[in-house]
Amino acid sequence: MSHTPVSPPPDQESPLGRQHEKISRSAIVGAIFLMATSAIGPGFITQTATFTAQMGAAFAFAILISILIDIAIQLNIWRMITSSGKRAAQLASSAVPGSGILLSILIVIGGLAFNIGNIAGGGLGLNALLGIDPKLGGLLTGVLAIGIFLFKRAGKVVDTVVLILGVGMIVLTVIVAVVSQPPVGEALRQSFFPDTINFATITTIVGGTVGGYITYSGAHRYLDSGKTGPENAPAVMRSALSGIVVTGIMRYVLFLAIFGVVASGVVLDLESQVANPAGQAFAAVLGDAGIRIFGAIFWAAALSSVIGAAYTSATFLSAFSKKLAGGWPLQLATVAFIVVSLVVYLIVGTAPATLLVFVGGFNGLILPIGLTIFMYIGWFRPNLLRTDSYPKWLLVLGTAATLVSWYMAVQSVGPIFAMIGIGA
């Protein structure tokens, strides 16, 4: 979908100008919120609980590395996409013919994996909230997501509810982190000097918070503000950093909450079909009411992620056909995406918690491919970004993150697929 401006914005003092500014601000806030909520969805929550139970304080190092990589990736992707005024696949193909198609295929496959995990998360949430079977919960989540997407008014209501529940999740997590009394000093020490380093763990948490469609979701949404071009780069960078700060704080707070529970001697179930390690941690601190409240919020996060992942992934399908750039064709493609995700989830035998961890790892494996394309654009094709010279400090950061992500992907490909019994 092209986002090349065709006319200057209206005078800000006119009614049309004020409406334009309102829409613009809404798109910018939406971009920040989309990136933040995508990065702290059910996959991230389950991955954090699982790895904290397995690694203890040493997992703090993985969180720190994921935040640093997040900063390097998002600052570059947001700036490049908004400066060019083009979506990721279009920009990639402008630099390297055919690379946009490759990127779209990878994002769609990764998005499908994410969405299967999101539906699994919905099943876990309803299991914690109502005690129903996770498969039935996943089915209800997928069907409701389709209904919400087809009826836009319902979608606006759910957006508001999810925002409120998202704030509730943060507040609840802070309470658990305080009540569980984690060994903060030990967590701080191992953030920089870990006893053990697990590349599969780092790749998975990076993939679950900035991999796949999440890499491009916020930047694509920002394009709707109309504030594109290099002249808007400072505002773009501030918006990207705002989203990164929110997710970074949330990652550490959630880790500390789970770490406090694990350090107290509570053993979390990571293997069974109804395993919900994060929910168990909350229940250990707040009792039965805690797991019910957690279930509601976890389910809301999953439902929001199902819709967001399906829609963002479907926008990449326009690389194959311009008819899918918007309107009903895009809506139908998004619905089909959810249906396929739901069917695969229902026939897959892997436990939902394991599936949520695996999809993060899978998207961490495909992350460096897209980054390589964008680093090439920054170094050798800055003209596509409407500038003669792209900031070198951003390129150095982005290139370092790309090299690290390639190294981690190569080191962890075996362990990640072993999570679901492939090559184990």
Side-chain angles (χ1 to χ4, degrees), residues 70-236:
D70 197 359
I71 292 171
I73 292 172
Q74 292 289 11
L75 290 183
N76 274 289
I77 296 297
W78 278 53
R79 182 157 183 160
M80 288 184 180
I81 287 177
T82 57
S83 291
S84 69
K86 296 179 179 180
R87 293 195 183 276
Q90 285 180 305
L91 181 55
S93 286
S94 297
V96 183
S99 63
I101 298 290
L102 172 63
L103 183 61
S104 296
I105 291 172
L106 292 173
I107 295 301
V108 169
I109 293 174
L112 185 64
F114 251 128
N115 232 23
I116 295 167
N118 289 332
I119 291 173
L124 284 178
L126 288 181
N127 173 260
L129 176 63
L130 303 174
I132 64 176
D133 183 87
K135 290 278 186 180
L136 176 59
L139 175 62
L140 293 175
T141 302
V143 171
L144 184 58
I146 292 171
I148 289 170
F149 190 80
L150 291 177
F151 296 98
K152 293 183 179 178
R153 290 183 181 178
K156 290 181 180 179
V157 173
V158 168
D159 281 346
T160 304
V161 172
V162 168
L163 176 59
I164 294 170
L165 289 175
V167 173
M169 170 63 97
I170 294 173
V171 172
L172 188 63
T173 306
V174 170
I175 292 172
V176 174
V178 171
V179 175
S180 67
Q181 298 182 316
V184 177
E186 180 65 9
L188 185 62
R189 179 185 73 80
Q190 295 213 42
S191 293
F192 300 94
F193 306 103
D195 291 343
T196 59
I197 296 177
N198 187 315
F199 288 110
T201 296
I202 300 174
T203 302
T204 298
I205 203 70
V206 168
T209 55
V210 73
Y213 82 96
I214 299 173
T215 310
Y216 311 99
S217 60
H220 279 188
R221 181 73 177 98
Y222 199 100
L223 288 176
D224 295 333
S225 72
K227 296 193 173 184
T228 59
E231 65 276 11
N232 286 298
V236 170

Side-chain angles (χ1 to χ4, degrees), residues 222-269:
Y222 199 100
L223 288 176
D224 295 333
S225 72
K227 296 193 173 184
T228 59
E231 65 276 11
N232 286 298
V236 170
M237 303 286 271
R238 285 194 297 272
S239 297
L241 277 173
S242 297
I244 293 167
V245 167
V246 170
T247 57
I249 292 173
M250 187 59 185
R251 284 178 217 181
Y252 261 109
V253 171
L254 181 64
F255 159 69
L256 288 173
I258 307 294
F259 181 44
V261 172
V262 172
S264 71
V266 174
V267 178
L268 303 180
D269 173 16

